[in-house]
Structures are given as C-alpha cells and as structure tokens.
C-alpha cells in the first residue's frame, strides 16, 4: 500500500471531511465608495426581507468602482456590509487587481462569478484572434453533440434543498417548498407551487423566464434582478404566472 503524499494517517483525516456543493449566495454590487451610503442601501433590503437577508452570506462585487479603492477603503466598505446585517464571505472575481486585493484581505474569490466574467472575456478574445478555419469537402461529417436543453427534477424540492441547472433550463415536476431554492442558467418551469426562491438566468441571461402553476414565491430573480415576497403583487398569489424581465424590471403576468 502506498503512503499518502502528505504523510497524514487515516486516523488524522477522520477528524474532518471535505466536500464541494452548490451554495446560494447573494451578490452585493457596490456602486459607491461611501460606506455610510452603502450601509443605508443594504439596510433597506434587509428590512424588506429580514428572513432572507439578515445574516445572509454575500459576495461583494467591486467591479463597478473605478479605480478600485485601496485596502483601508475596502475594509470600511466590508464593515458597512456587516453593519447593515449581512456577512461578506468573499469578493466577486473581477481582474488581477481584485485577485491581489482578495489575497491581502484574506478573502476568497467566488468561483461562480469567476466563470461568468471569464466566459465573456474568452468570447471577446476569440472574436479578435481566432484564425479562419479551413474546411475539407471530403471530410466525414461530425455528428453534433447531444443537446442538453433542460434538467428535469421529478420530485418536490424540499426545504433547505437547492437544485441548479447549469447551462440549461430547469423543469421541476412538483412543488418548491418554503426555504428551498431552484436556479438555472436558462428558464425555470415549476409544475406545482413555487413557495421558495427561484433564480433564472443565473449567468446574466435577461431573456430567461420563470413559469409556475401556483405562485407563492419568497423571492424571484432573473439575471440578478429580484423581487421579494413583500413586493410581489397579491392578486397573483396562488395563480399560474410567468415572470420576465422588461427594461430591467421584473414583470409578472398570468399564464
């Protein structure tokens, strides 16, 4: 039997277990260098939905500030977020300067946001530098990859559970309970009651929509634009609706 590279024994490793999983974390986009203004803006959101946002883990996105504040200014902004009732757990990936900042402050960069930024940058780079591709008329045709259009979840989503459809739509055949969370890079279809949280267009697709047979959601979001339960129109409670984004405002219309 070969030894572990680290030299650690099985007895030592039994003291802890390490797993990866999907975790729903809100994103605070900082648009002001003023800590007092930032704190006031977040306090409004926390008061609107304390069950969702009070002591909620959040990722702090500094990409809207130019130039990036110095370390002391960023610490003051993080204190403002904590003072408003939320808990910063990392920085959203932006550029090399943000990477260095996160190392100095001892905060991680959250992978979800890293993927979003890198996808855009890679697409732009390909447009500028990719050489033309030669075609061979005698070459055998290549079968297209099997498309994945939707992740189907054939059971209710329970309280505390999260279901994420990466790169496609999400279809839930059943209810989404209070405290449950469903996310998709595309559309979300719920063939039952939507009582929990639904986040469509998770990577920024503003054309994504949410469909449900019974609308009782705690929070709905498309491409980062959200509305919480207290803001949702009472006349649509319990009805079949779709939620879409128009001019950066969420619209709820009956099916």
């Amino acid at each position: 039997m070969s030894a572990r590279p680290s030299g650690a024994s099985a007895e030592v490793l039994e003291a802890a277990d390490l797993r990866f999983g999907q975790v729903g974390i809100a994103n605070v986009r900082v648009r002001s260098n003023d800590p007092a203004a930032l704190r006031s803006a977040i306090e409004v959101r926390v008061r609107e939905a304390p069950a969702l946002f009070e002591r909620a883990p959040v990722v702090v996105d500094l990409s809207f500030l130019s130039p990036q504040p110095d370390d002391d200014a960023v610490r003051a902004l993080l204190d403002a977020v904590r003072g408003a009732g939320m808990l910063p757990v990392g920085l959203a990936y932006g550029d090399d300067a943000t990477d260095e900042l996160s190392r100095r402050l001892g905060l991680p960069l959250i992978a979800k946001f890293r993927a979003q930024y890198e996808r855009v940058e890679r697409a732009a780079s390909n447009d500028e530098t990719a050489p033309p591709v030669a075609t061979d008329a005698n070459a055998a045709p290549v079968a297209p990859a099997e498309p994945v259009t939707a992740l189907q979840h054939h059971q209710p989503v329970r309280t505390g559970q999260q279901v994420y459809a990466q790169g496609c739509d999400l279809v839930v055949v059943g209810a989404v309970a209070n405290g449950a969370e469903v996310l998709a890079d595309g559309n979300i279809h719920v063939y039952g009651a939507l009582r929990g949280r639904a986040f469509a267009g998770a990577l920024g697709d503003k054309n994504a929509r949410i469909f449900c047979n019974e609308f009782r959601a705690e929070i709905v979001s498309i491409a980062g634009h959200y509305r919480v339960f207290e803001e949702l129109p009472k006349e649509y409670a319990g009805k079949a609706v779709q939620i879409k984004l128009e001019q950066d405002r969420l619209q709820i219309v009956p099916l």
Side-chain angles (χ1 to χ4, degrees):
M1 179 182 294
S2 61
R4 292 178 181 275
S6 63
S9 66
E11 289 76 13
V12 170
L13 295 177
E14 285 179 355
D17 198 6
L18 186 62
R19 302 289 179 89
F20 288 96
Q22 292 288 341
V23 178
I25 300 179
N27 183 213
V28 175
R29 295 180 175 181
V30 180
R31 300 180 185 275
S32 170
N33 285 310
D34 182 354
L38 176 62
R39 176 168 178 163
S40 297
I42 296 176
E43 285 177 339
V44 170
R45 270 71 171 187
V46 174
R47 284 198 298 269
E48 288 175 343
L52 289 175
F53 295 136
E54 195 168 46
R55 295 186 56 76
V58 294
V59 176
V60 177
D61 187 348
L62 301 172
S63 64
F64 293 86
L65 301 180
S66 181
Q68 180 176 279
D70 61 29
D71 292 13
D72 289 340
V74 173
R75 289 190 182 94
L77 293 172
L78 295 173
D79 287 342
V81 175
R82 295 188 189 95
M86 293 182 172
L87 301 176
V89 296
L91 300 180
Y93 181 82
D95 51 22
D96 291 342
T98 308
D99 193 357
E100 291 300 322
L101 174 66
S102 73
R103 294 176 188 276
R104 293 195 299 272
L105 298 183
L107 290 171
L109 293 175
I110 303 303
K112 176 179 177 181
F113 299 96
R114 177 195 295 270
Q116 179 177 353
Y117 283 103
E118 288 186 345
R119 179 174 296 187
V120 173
E121 291 171 358
R122 188 182 304 116
S125 175
N126 289 343
D127 290 342
E128 295 173 358
T129 61
V133 178
T135 58
D136 184 353
N138 297 321
V142 178
E146 189 70 22
V148 178
T149 57
L151 171 66
Q152 298 183 14
H153 188 82
H154 291 273
Q155 51 191 320
V157 183
R158 301 183 301 275
T159 299
Q161 186 179 6
Q162 184 188 68
V163 178
Y164 174 41
Q166 184 176 17
C168 62
D169 290 1
L170 173 63
V171 177
V172 178
V173 185
V176 178
N178 293 98
E181 196 167 274
V182 290
L183 305 92
D185 294 339
N187 306 299
I188 294 176
H189 307 258
V190 179
Y191 292 97
L194 173 57
R195 299 177 182 275
R197 311 166 190 172
F199 301 85
L203 288 182
D205 182 3
K206 294 185 177 182
N207 294 316
R209 298 190 180 195
I210 299 170
F211 305 87
C212 68
N213 280 357
E214 185 180 333
F215 181 57
R216 300 185 185 279
E218 294 174 317
I219 184 171
V220 290
S221 171
I222 295 177
H225 298 264
Y226 73 90
R227 293 178 71 175
V228 296
F229 176 80
E230 289 79 0
E231 299 175 332
L232 301 176
K234 306 302 183 195
E235 62 267 30
Y236 295 128
K239 298 182 179 178
V241 303
Q242 66 167 307
I243 299 102
K244 58 184 179 180
L245 194 62
E246 290 184 351
Q247 297 180 341
D248 290 340
R249 290 182 61 84
L250 286 185
Q251 304 293 330
I252 302 173
V253 296
L255 285 174

